[in-house]
Amino acid sequence: MPSSATPDAYTDPVGFGQRMQILRTRRGMSRPVAAGLLGMSVSWVKQLERGEIGMPKLPVVLRIAELLRVRDLSDLTGDQSVPVDLFVGPGHPRLPAVRDAVNALTLGDSDRQAPPAVHLAARLAKAWAARHQAANHREVIGELLPGLIRDAQLTVRQSDTGTDRRTALAILSEVYSLSQFFVAYQPDSALLWRVAERGMVAAQESEDPHAIGVAAWLAVQAHRDSGQAYFDAADALTREALAYLEPALPDADDRTAAITGAIQFEAGYTAARRGESGAAWGWWDKAQATAARLPSSYYHPVTSFSRAIMGAHAVTVAVELRSGGESVRQAARADAATIPSRPRRARHRIEEARGYQLDGQPDVALAMLAQAHEAAPETIRYSGYARRIVLEETESRVPARRRRAATLAEQLELLAA
């Protein structure tokens, strides 16, 4: 490697501070922004990155890892002896079968009769319901997806009319959306993007507003989760989707109104990740107004958008704005019992845990994570935020807290190689 080349934080024997600087730069994050989000001074970050001070203690290391969305803790620390995935969960046993179905061309199925679109739609609806009801939701949908993907692809291929083809494409797009829920936070980011892109193409060809909205909603999340350098792309996609959906909102059916509200919230979520408090809460207010027009019992099968979810969304906004006190206040107002989806309820508990951790209440944070594990173990196993909190508290000086965190770490198989 030429002496002028940038070292690779993943392979070169560089120190913690230099690794942090490389990873921060790759995220498109300035030093002042990083310092502000960490609650440290710019000079402290500068000294750390220059190697003028040593690697901080584990709680701070984990906050840096969360900020930079480091996948494996050793990418930041350089210690390869104990690999610890943070924002990527373990590869699910059903991942290869789902990957094969996504990659297949279905050309070998040309002699098989495709199922009618109405039957395929009914199977898809049952799959979404199963996902919301199951504690091991990845196992459930991982079993269903290969057949759904192949049948949806075949139904598109065998459509006789333009109308039939658009109907089948809308279904195929939503099957890819379900696939994205399965693939997310697993160790195959290329497959995640392939699924997201195919879902968007199928949705656009279907000309179905709801399908387009769902595909856009998931694509926004994929961009935002790729790091701060992709926030502008997430915002641009949000604006395009809302420009398409909002004009029809007054006459929209419940599911189209719900996907519009879900995208409105995503705009606020991205603003919160940027630290833009006014914009974040402004978008939350807009999404709240959209939720208010929905029936009280309505719950969107893909996004979970509903009246009931807005309290959980408020917790997320406060947490992303790094406001511990406001996070706790919003958590007290939100009613998790009204969230019918087990994985979504578990995610809400994780967000509450983040809020209590920010507010200096680690024991309550661990209690929330225990409730998340009870609601949906597969949700917490794949959550980088939950992993960070549990790892941090295994180093607690309080014996009871340390034992509680160690129990959770064991349940999550957190330190498994």
Side-chain angles (χ1 to χ4, degrees):
M1 175 184 292
S3 59
S4 60
T6 301
D8 190 328
Y10 297 95
T11 59
D12 290 349
V14 297
F16 176 88
Q18 192 173 2
R19 286 172 178 268
M20 176 181 170
Q21 182 176 7
I22 293 167
L23 294 167
R24 173 181 61 75
T25 302
R26 289 181 182 177
R27 286 287 174 190
M29 185 180 297
S30 70
R31 190 174 282 158
V33 168
L37 292 173
L38 288 170
M40 300 293 189
S41 67
V42 177
S43 62
W44 181 87
V45 173
K46 185 176 182 180
Q47 288 178 304
L48 180 62
E49 292 183 344
R50 288 185 171 183
E52 295 172 6
I53 55 178
M55 186 172 73
K57 292 184 178 179
L58 182 62
V60 179
V61 171
L62 290 168
R63 286 204 300 273
I64 295 170
E66 176 184 337
L67 176 68
L68 300 179
R69 300 289 290 181
V70 169
R71 298 297 187 180
D72 188 312
L73 194 58
S74 63
D75 294 337
L76 180 61
T77 65
D79 181 4
Q80 302 291 328
S81 60
V82 184
V84 181
D85 287 335
L86 289 175
F87 285 89
V88 173
H92 195 279
R94 296 193 182 275
L95 179 61
V98 173
R99 183 192 297 118
D100 289 346
V102 171
N103 292 339
L105 293 175
T106 68
L107 297 177
D109 289 336
S110 56
D111 295 332
R112 182 167 66 90
Q113 181 63 42
V118 64
H119 292 173
L120 197 59
R123 284 169 57 191
L124 181 58
K126 288 182 179 179
W128 281 117
R131 177 188 178 271
H132 289 301
Q133 294 164 5
N136 58 332
H137 49 95
R138 273 188 169 84
E139 173 64 23
V140 169
I141 64 173
E143 181 179 9
L144 297 173
L145 275 171
L148 271 172
I149 293 168
R150 292 190 179 98
D151 285 351
Q153 290 173 339
L154 191 61
T155 300
V156 171
R157 286 174 57 84
Q158 294 185 5
S159 297
D160 293 327
T161 69
T163 299
D164 289 345
R165 179 177 172 80
R166 286 191 293 273
T167 299
L169 282 164
I171 295 170
L172 176 60
S173 176
E174 195 169 318
V175 169
Y176 283 134
S177 296
L178 182 63
S179 303
Q180 194 167 335
F181 275 87
F182 174 81
V183 175
Y185 305 114
Q186 293 204 56
D188 195 337
S189 58
L191 180 63
L192 176 68
W193 278 105
R194 193 152 62 250
V195 166
E197 290 169 356
R198 289 188 183 184
M200 179 62 78
V201 170
Q204 289 175 320
E205 291 185 1
S206 78
E207 301 178 2
D208 181 279
H210 177 259
I212 292 171
V214 170
W217 179 77
L218 284 165
V220 167
Q221 294 182 37
H223 280 91
R224 187 177 57 235
D225 286 347
S226 296
Q228 191 172 11
Y230 295 87
F231 283 5
D232 287 346
D235 283 336
L237 186 53
T238 302
R239 287 193 300 271
E240 289 183 51
L242 290 178
Y244 173 72
L245 292 167
E246 284 184 335
L249 191 55
D251 300 316
D253 57 21
D254 288 341
R255 68 175 195 157
T256 306
I259 192 59
T260 304
I263 295 172
Q264 289 168 338
F265 171 70
E266 291 304 316
Y269 195 158
T270 306
R273 288 282 294 272
R274 290 183 186 274
E276 299 169 352
S277 178
W281 287 113
W283 279 111
W284 183 90
D285 288 339
K286 198 167 187 177
Q288 169 77 338
T290 303
R293 60 166 285 170
L294 297 171
S296 59
S297 60
Y298 181 82
Y299 201 80
H300 191 261
V302 180
T303 67
S304 297
F305 191 80
S306 57
R307 293 188 190 184
I309 209 66
M310 291 311 299
H313 282 338
V315 175
T316 296
V317 169
V319 167
E320 293 296 344
L321 290 170
R322 315 295 293 177
S323 176
E326 183 62 22
S327 300
V328 170
R329 284 190 290 274
Q330 293 295 343
R333 296 188 188 117
D335 184 1
T338 63
I339 302 175
S341 168
R342 293 185 68 156
R344 187 60 184 84
R345 191 160 64 247
R347 180 188 160 194
H348 172 55
R349 291 302 191 195
I350 294 167
E351 295 293 273
E352 288 184 317
R354 294 177 66 198
Y356 283 110
Q357 186 81 349
L358 281 170
D359 198 48
Q361 300 186 54
D363 290 310
V364 183
L366 289 175
M368 293 299 101
L369 292 181
Q371 290 185 37
H373 187 266
E374 181 180 354
E378 285 192 345
T379 295
I380 187 171
R381 282 190 71 201
Y382 287 82
S383 169
Y385 298 117
R387 289 163 169 266
R388 191 265 299 169
I389 293 171
V390 171
L391 273 173
E392 182 171 332
E393 295 309 327
T394 59
E395 296 287 314
S396 171
R397 295 182 180 180
V398 180
R401 187 185 305 152
R402 188 168 62 246
R403 287 193 297 271
R404 193 173 193 177
T407 298
L408 271 171
E410 184 176 357
Q411 290 172 333
L412 303 180
E413 300 177 359
L414 193 54
L415 300 180

